[in-house]
Amino acid sequence: MLKTFVADSDLAGSITVKEYEGRYFPASIPDIPSQWKHMQSFDADDNDVIICSYPKSGFHWIWEVVTMLINNTSDISKEIPAKYILEFGAVRKMQQSPPPRVLGSHLYYEQLPVSIRQKKCKLINVIRDPRAVAISSFHFFNKLKETKWKGTWSGYLNLFLDGKVLFNDWFQHTQLWERVRQNNPDNPIHILSYEDAKKNPFYEFKRLARFLQLDVKESMIMTIAENTKFSEIKTSKEVAIGLRLGNAFAGNKYPLYRKGTEDDWKSYFTLQQNAEFEQIYKERMQYNKLQLKSIVNPGSLDTGCVETTRYESKL
């Protein structure tokens, strides 16, 4: 069922999504009930790895890294990570592929195929500063033809905070995954911070290899860290992705690789928006064991935000 959300009060903006099982998907995805049924029938292997994240949190980047570690290579894959996302039809393609398979999902744990949970496949939970997620998704959905965001940054932020965007509420998504980690100690789940991986990729990728129980030399991990820098992946993937996935986006170009930085949000959030966002985060996430230091303890009164942007804060 299609739904259109409109930003409150005088904020300009609306977004159209397709709702199924309480989740908001891109309006362009065909026959979600059928895809959902196929997804639930997926027969996972014990060695499969599933990268679980809220959209725009770094799935494509970490998929490349994990694929390299598993294959013990520093070569960037010729594949497009998006086709390995379970709820986007990956099951049809992956069922006959030999394990270990590196898959992805933006769903909650309880919505993953039963076999993944029963076999306790290794899960990688990628978490990114929600301010960066909001900015990245704002630009991405500006380009998506059928779900296309029509409005201002302030209007989008308003809906983002209300969870009226694709894949619902970031706060709830993050809280539910923390609960999963607490309630399923026998299911191997690795937490990966996008920001930490950007700052020290060698250390974080070494931790990943250890979690995946892979014997990868440090020299290989160092090369993987170098070869998966944003500029390298963007150059390698841009042409293939544009040709194969461009039709769904404005200008017929898949807008996946934009900047890949940790603090681009500072160019968009006003000081007022940032202060209000931080307050909302602290209120809603106060009982979470895992806290984002960039929000709860930035270490400086200078947030790096601009005083104003082209859209004044209305939050």
Side-chain angles (χ1 to χ4, degrees), residues 140-141 143-145 245-256:
F140 187 82
F141 302 136
K143 299 289 185 180
L144 196 57
K145 287 180 180 178
L245 295 176
N247 290 338
F249 298 89
N252 295 325
K253 185 177 180 180
Y254 189 37
L256 176 61

Side-chain angles (χ1 to χ4, degrees), residues 42-50 98-103 116 120-123:
F42 178 65
D43 184 18
D45 184 87
D46 294 349
N47 295 312
D48 286 339
V49 179
I50 297 84
R101 294 162 290 200
V102 184
L103 305 169
I116 288 176
K120 295 180 172 54
C121 296
K122 289 185 174 65
L123 306 176

Side-chain angles (χ1 to χ4, degrees), residues 159-178:
L159 291 184
F160 182 86
L161 289 169
D162 285 342
K164 295 178 179 178
V165 291
L166 294 180
F167 288 92
N168 309 66
D169 183 23
W170 181 92
F171 297 94
Q172 183 181 47
H173 188 281
T174 306
Q175 289 168 332
L176 288 176
W177 270 99
E178 172 153 310

